[in-house]
Amino acid sequence: MLLPLLRPAQLPLRTALLLFLLTVGACAGETSGPSAASEDYRVVSMTSDLAHPWAIAFLPDDSILISERPGRLRIFRDEALQPDPVPGLPAITATGQGGLLDLALHPDFEQNRWLYYTYAASVDNGVTTRLARARFVDDRLHDVEVLFTAQPASRGGRHFGSRIVFDRDGYVFVSVGDRGDMPRAQRLDDHAGTIVRLHDDGRVPEDNPFVGRGDVLPEIFAYGVRNPQGMALHPQTGALWEHEHGPRGGDEINIIEAGLNYGWPVISHGIDYSGAPIGDGIREKEGMEQPLYDWTPSIAPSGMAFYRGDAFPDWEGDLLVGALAHRHLARLSFDADNEVVSEVRMLEAWGSRIRDVRVRDGLIYVLTDHDPGELLRIEPATKP
């Protein structure tokens, strides 16, 4: 395998050295995780000038939009990060884990130019997760519309979520964290700790599972989640997959279905940071869903994408999950029953917190949660 070509102006010495070590590791095969596999890829640092980047969105002209948690929207175009942030964002509260968060293009973006984004907003003497959209035209945002505001707002800077996914029917899903107040995830008059489902203009679908119940917020599609920072549609089934942070252990992957209770904080495969039991101190309870897969100890998952493409044909259908605490990119393979049959940990030599992962044209794009943070591209290694 040939080593990647490095541009000195693009890659600092530390990054170049890690890239060399990672490529050598790829040749030898990575051995951490439940199983090991020999990989055949290289990693290219596209830019290292980002401030705590959070999410990626690919524009039709091959430019890349990148959100920065402090409250800036950036454009990566023609192999360079554009110097000026995109103007037109609303007021964003960058506090703790909150700030400018996820990005998603409307399915008909090329016609309507709607860009969707989540962020932390100050409302009612507190802070909460909000979904908005704006038209992205001429490299700026126009016609900003707030579509959803999680209620009630609260103080503190933890567990905002949040990811945005459009399903095949054009509904938009938003994940909302429990805001660090565990019991809220079991309350149906509270958006904290839920998965929300909306029409693309923010209206509540009439077939949402709790519509018509006066004691339940109608936007809620599922509940009992902790801090969900990954969602993706399964490429074959169209099902909505989600992952969320546990405390000390108990990070979960779930398949989200209408009206289901995913158990937090009554049941958990983890324990509290103090070492005390969570909730009832049990892992199972009738009426509460079990995770498809869980990690103990916690890897702190963030970002999720299914692999599709020709660049790595052996990875087709695998699930990619970033890890903040354990600083790697997990690649999970499943059997026909959605049982995990292998897990390979990539990018461990890179030593960076992985915030987001996306796939385009068979190549894998990754954001590292640092200041400065990087946009990385995983591509096939050059053959001799």
Side-chain angles (χ1 to χ4, degrees):
M1 178 187 303
L2 294 178
L3 295 180
L5 297 175
L6 308 180
R7 289 200 293 260
Q10 184 180 25
L11 296 178
L13 179 60
R14 167 189 171 274
T15 305
L17 177 59
L18 286 172
L19 181 51
F20 172 81
L21 293 174
L22 191 145
T23 306
V24 173
C27 295
E30 299 188 15
T31 57
S32 57
S35 69
S38 177
E39 308 297 353
D40 191 18
Y41 63 88
R42 67 175 187 171
V43 182
V44 176
S45 179
M46 302 174 70
T47 182
S48 57
D49 295 323
L50 298 163
H52 292 294
W54 217 91
I56 299 168
F58 299 103
L59 294 172
D61 67 357
D62 293 330
S63 299
I64 302 174
L65 291 178
I66 303 170
S67 63
E68 292 180 312
R69 184 160 45 84
R72 292 180 296 272
L73 181 61
R74 309 296 300 275
I75 302 173
F76 184 87
R77 176 180 290 145
D78 298 329
E79 301 300 320
L81 185 67
Q82 302 303 294
D84 297 325
V86 174
L89 284 170
I92 291 170
T93 302
T95 179
Q97 298 169 0
L100 181 59
L101 302 174
D102 205 18
L103 304 172
L105 302 186
H106 190 280
D108 295 323
F109 176 83
E110 291 192 70
Q111 285 73 46
N112 60 35
R113 308 299 294 182
W114 283 122
L115 170 69
Y116 290 68
Y117 52 95
T118 52
Y119 62 102
S122 295
V123 295
D124 301 329
N125 297 315
V127 185
T128 191
T129 301
R130 182 171 266 176
L131 171 71
R133 70 178 182 178
R135 296 189 193 275
F136 182 78
V137 179
D138 297 329
D139 290 352
R140 66 178 299 126
L141 300 182
H142 306 262
D143 306 326
V144 172
E145 297 180 5
V146 174
L147 302 181
F148 166 76
T149 300
Q151 296 289 348
S154 58
R155 299 188 181 276
R158 293 190 293 163
H159 299 185
F160 292 90
S162 63
R163 293 291 176 183
I164 309 166
V165 168
F166 282 90
D167 72 3
R168 293 174 178 176
D169 296 319
Y171 295 107
V172 59
F173 291 82
V174 180
S175 63
V176 183
D178 71 357
R179 299 293 281 110
D181 188 354
M182 295 188 289
R184 294 179 65 183
Q186 288 296 313
R187 294 177 58 102
L188 288 171
D189 60 349
D190 191 325
H191 288 125
T194 69
I195 307 298
V196 166
R197 178 179 180 250
L198 304 166
H199 286 291
D200 63 352
D201 60 2
R203 291 176 297 117
V204 176
E206 294 182 358
D207 60 347
N208 267 10
F210 301 111
V211 166
R213 283 183 50 176
D215 58 338
V216 182
L217 293 172
E219 298 88 354
I220 295 174
F221 186 79
Y223 65 107
V225 298
R226 184 174 182 262
N227 190 25
Q229 292 189 353
M231 290 200 304
L233 289 188
H234 191 281
Q236 277 78 45
T237 67
L240 180 66
W241 288 41
E242 168 261 10
H243 70 56
E244 61 193 75
H245 293 257
R248 288 176 57 186
D251 298 342
E252 297 182 0
I253 297 176
N254 295 295
I255 299 178
I256 301 298
E257 298 184 36
L260 296 187
N261 181 352
Y262 290 84
W264 177 258
V266 179
I267 61 173
S268 175
H269 289 250
I271 58 174
D272 206 348
Y273 295 108
S274 66
I278 294 290
D280 293 347
I282 56 177
R283 294 188 173 190
E284 298 182 22
K285 188 170 185 177
E286 186 176 357
M288 296 182 178
E289 301 303 305
Q290 281 295 297
L292 190 69
Y293 188 69
D294 68 278
W295 286 276
T296 299
S298 171
I299 67 168
S302 186
M304 171 189 273
F306 286 95
Y307 182 79
R308 302 195 74 180
D310 298 328
F312 302 101
D314 292 342
W315 301 359
E316 183 68 24
D318 286 359
L319 186 66
L320 302 167
V321 174
L324 294 165
H326 281 199
R327 302 190 177 211
H328 66 266
L329 179 66
R331 180 170 62 81
L332 295 91
S333 300
F334 296 83
D335 63 17
D337 298 318
N338 289 329
E339 295 286 337
V340 174
V341 295
S342 69
E343 178 182 350
V344 174
R345 296 185 174 184
M346 305 164 58
L347 304 189
E348 286 189 303
W350 209 262
S352 296
R353 290 163 50 88
I354 305 301
R355 172 61 72 184
D356 196 18
V357 54
R358 309 279 173 134
V359 178
R360 179 166 179 149
D361 296 332
L363 303 181
I364 301 166
Y365 294 79
V366 170
L367 290 176
T368 69
D369 180 27
H370 297 277
D371 187 4
E374 292 182 281
L375 171 65
L376 308 176
R377 184 177 66 236
I378 300 174
E379 58 189 38
T382 304
K383 296 295 183 181

